[in-house]
Amino acid sequence: ATLEPGEPATTAGFEAGGSVWFSWEAPATGTFSLRLTAGWDAQLAIFTGEEVGALTVLDESDPQDGEGDAVVTLAAEDGASYRVRVTGFSLHRGTFALDWSIHPVFQKMYTFEASAGRMPLGCLVQGADGNFYGATAIGGATDNGTLFKMTPDGVMTTLVEFSAKGGPNKGGAFGGVTLVQCRDGEFYGTTGIIGEIPGTIFKVTPEGVFTTLVEFAGGENPLSALVQGSDGDFYGTTSDGDEDDHGTIFSMTPAGVLTTLLEFTGTEGPNLGSSPEAALVQGSDGNFYGTTSFGGADDQGTIFRMTPEGALTTLFEFGGSEGDNNGSNPQAALVQGNDGDFYGTTYVGGIGYG
């Protein structure tokens, strides 16, 4: 089509030929990109306004690449209408496609208050009910941290106030808290050691009914999240607390009966590794895979496989920045890819940056 009378004669400062117009209604509030794809020298612009002679241009693009891959960006408001124009430079014409995408927009959901908890730590977990669950390091009646629930609209509810060594909600959040929702709909988690407050394993319902399942008595420090195995039991690690303080792997029934499956032996011995800090992952073969931050021949960490019965196989020993530059001190959980292999990271090593 040819340009209408009063229509802008240029796009991004370049001559505009025939035009095609669209009306576009934003489906949400946020920053959007509209992308034009064409095999010819196409141009793209977006406007506000109701009349062709009284438009306000918001963004326009003519890449002058002969291929018409033009992009415009705007801060749109939910339900607002915008005018989109596709033109060709000079006499260029042809078929084209338009696509839009939304960019993430930062929005503050909640500001913590001292009495309800402060210094939130760890990741939020979205429950099956759509709400978000998390923890604060301090706050609550005894200042030992809290567990909370927040709706997607930012309505906050304090579910649990930790009570240190005594009281109904044993544990202290400042030593670290993990949280995961399991198949029964309840949340299971751990608290790490903080001062004289021992590490614990607990469960809590979405309504805030709290149960201490395990209170470690030997200095064990459960830093990683639990994983529920295909047998229904839970599996996890402690970073120290065994005879040589190299850490352990344990299993626990849903009722809280805990069994130590193995103790790591550091740089030598049958169970190489020390200080497991990341969660285990159950592979498609039914075995559990994980990492230790230290141990192995060079004391730079390991990757291991463990059967549900606790038989460990060391798969890899890290060597730090020497030799093959294969890294050291893995601290994050492994991920099994679609190809069946496992992927992970090291905190340091390589050329010095992990």
Side-chain angles (χ1 to χ4, degrees):
T2 58
L3 295 181
E4 298 292 328
E7 184 177 343
T10 62
T11 299
F14 295 97
E15 178 187 355
S19 63
V20 179
W21 287 84
F22 300 89
S23 178
W24 178 71
E25 182 177 305
T29 297
T31 302
F32 286 80
S33 289
L34 288 171
R35 178 178 293 276
L36 169 70
T37 303
W40 45 281
D41 197 350
Q43 305 162 324
L44 181 63
I46 190 163
F47 306 84
T48 56
E50 299 299 326
E51 299 180 4
V52 71
L55 298 173
T56 300
V57 63
L58 300 178
D59 196 15
E60 53 188 343
S61 174
D62 183 349
Q64 288 287 296
D65 59 1
E67 297 181 357
D69 188 13
V71 177
V72 295
T73 302
L74 75 154
E77 295 183 5
D78 185 17
S81 294
Y82 300 89
R83 313 302 172 191
V84 179
R85 185 178 78 159
V86 177
T87 53
F89 173 68
S90 185
L91 299 177
H92 286 252
R93 304 287 189 275
T95 60
F96 60 86
L98 283 173
D99 191 21
W100 62 267
S101 60
I102 187 170
H103 299 265
V105 177
F106 176 82
Q107 181 180 354
K108 183 176 70 175
M109 300 297 298
Y110 181 79
T111 299
F112 286 90
E113 301 175 358
S115 59
R118 56 196 188 275
M119 295 177 63
L121 46 78
C123 296
L124 294 173
V125 176
Q126 188 169 27
D129 59 3
N131 294 316
F132 296 92
Y133 295 79
T136 66
I138 53 180
T142 62
D143 218 22
N144 284 291
T146 69
L147 298 176
F148 62 82
K149 172 172 64 178
M150 185 187 75
T151 69
D153 298 322
V155 178
M156 181 71 66
T157 301
T158 300
L159 297 176
V160 173
E161 299 178 5
F162 286 106
S163 55
K165 295 178 67 174
N169 306 324
K170 293 182 178 180
F174 200 79
V177 176
T178 67
L179 201 62
V180 61
Q181 189 173 31
C182 294
R183 292 194 286 269
D184 61 3
E186 298 186 351
F187 293 87
Y188 291 76
T190 63
T191 62
I193 295 173
I194 175 66
E196 296 183 355
I197 305 172
T200 70
I201 302 176
F202 64 85
K203 71 175 179 180
V204 60
T205 69
E207 296 73 35
V209 179
F210 184 92
T211 303
T212 300
L213 296 173
V214 174
E215 186 175 0
F216 290 100
E220 300 92 337
N221 198 10
L223 297 177
S224 63
L226 302 171
V227 59
Q228 189 171 24
S230 57
D231 58 3
D233 289 342
F234 296 90
Y235 294 79
T237 65
T238 65
S239 65
D240 45 34
D242 62 313
E243 182 177 351
D244 296 315
D245 278 346
H246 292 303
T248 71
I249 299 178
F250 62 83
S251 66
M252 183 193 73
T253 69
V257 178
L258 186 137
T259 301
T260 299
L261 297 175
L262 66 86
E263 298 181 358
F264 286 100
T265 55
T267 58
E268 57 186 18
N271 300 324
L272 293 177
S274 182
S275 299
E277 297 183 7
L280 302 170
V281 58
Q282 189 169 30
S284 56
D285 60 0
N287 293 315
F288 293 90
Y289 293 78
T291 62
T292 64
S293 293
F294 299 96
D298 295 320
D299 205 20
Q300 301 294 317
T302 69
I303 302 173
F304 61 83
R305 177 180 65 221
M306 185 197 73
T307 68
E309 296 74 33
L312 184 134
T313 301
T314 301
L315 299 176
F316 189 80
E317 300 174 49
F318 288 97
S321 58
E322 303 297 329
D324 294 331
N325 292 331
N326 54 38
S328 62
N329 306 128
Q331 297 183 9
L334 300 172
V335 174
Q336 187 171 25
N338 293 332
D339 57 3
D341 291 340
F342 291 86
Y343 296 80
T345 61
T346 63
Y347 181 65
V348 290
I351 61 173
Y353 302 102

